[in-house]
């Protein structure tokens, strides 16, 4: 039984994240989305809000659950008994940071493997940051996020 965690800030969850989760759910027996508290990133949505928005987005996927975590990623993997950390790669620009993180995590905990999935070609340009920027400037964010997230963004930015 292979369990994986999919960590991130998810501020908020986008269709890019969901594409990765849907594909990951076909590979792993259980996929645990780990919403990081990340207070340093000054999130638009609280940890609790990000958790609930993600939970609503994956309610139909029985092998996926959503939790929060604080602290080291490798400790979260151990806490949830996962041997794999799933991350997404959008562009070459993601690579440097992800490469460093994967090696650091491997040093900290050699039993945990980081696996990368390329984004679907319709999602490679999507990031939570850009979606928030478009929402703040009054653009239409419906093509990029699930409906309930679009509503939450509308409410937060008006
Ligand atoms: P973090 O702050 O940890 O980078 P994010 O919420 O931005 O958190 O991203 C979480 C994970 O989802 C990362 O592995 C990131 O590469 C991946 N990701 C972000 N946007 C997309 C997307 N559009 N398609 C696929 N993966 C994505």
């Amino acid at each position: 039984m292979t369990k994986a965690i999919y960590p991130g800030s998810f501020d908020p969850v986008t269709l890019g994240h969901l594409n990765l989760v849907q594909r990951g759910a076909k590979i792993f027996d259980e996929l645990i989305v780990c919403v990081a508290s990340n207070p340093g990133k000054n999130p638009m949505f609280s940890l609790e809000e990000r958790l609930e928005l993600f939970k609503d987005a994956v309610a139909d996927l029985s092998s996926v659950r959503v939790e929060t975590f604080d602290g080291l990623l490798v400790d979260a993997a151990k806490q949830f008994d996962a041997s794999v950390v799933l991350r997404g790669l959008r562009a070459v620009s993601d690579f440097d940071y992800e490469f460093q993180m994967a090696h650091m995590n491997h040093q900290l905990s050699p039993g945990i493997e980081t696996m990368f999935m390329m984004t679907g070609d319709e999602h490679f340009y999507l990031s939570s940051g850009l979606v928030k920027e478009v929402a703040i400037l009054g653009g239409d964010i419906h093509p990029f996020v699930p409906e309930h997230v679009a509503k939450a963004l509308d409410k937060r930015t008006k």
Side-chain angles (χ1 to χ4, degrees), residues 101-116:
M101 279 277 290
H103 279 283
M104 177 56 83
N105 286 333
H106 192 72
Q107 284 293 322
L108 293 172
S109 188
I112 295 168
E113 290 294 341
T114 304
M115 290 184 63
F116 296 100

Side-chain angles (χ1 to χ4, degrees), residues 18-76:
L18 291 178
N19 174 272
L20 220 76
V21 167
Q22 280 153 0
R23 290 157 58 208
K26 291 187 193 148
I27 297 171
F28 303 106
D29 297 301
E30 190 176 3
L31 184 60
I32 303 150
V33 176
C34 289
V35 184
S37 78
N38 269 350
K41 281 200 171 177
N42 210 359
M44 175 182 273
F45 294 97
S46 71
L47 183 60
E48 201 52 41
E49 288 169 329
R50 285 179 277 143
L51 174 78
E52 290 308 319
L53 289 173
F54 216 131
K55 272 189 178 171
D56 285 354
V58 293
D60 58 332
L61 296 172
S62 58
S63 63
V64 178
R65 65 185 166 105
V66 190
E67 305 280 354
T68 60
F69 87 102
D70 200 3
L72 278 179
L73 191 53
V74 288
D75 289 340

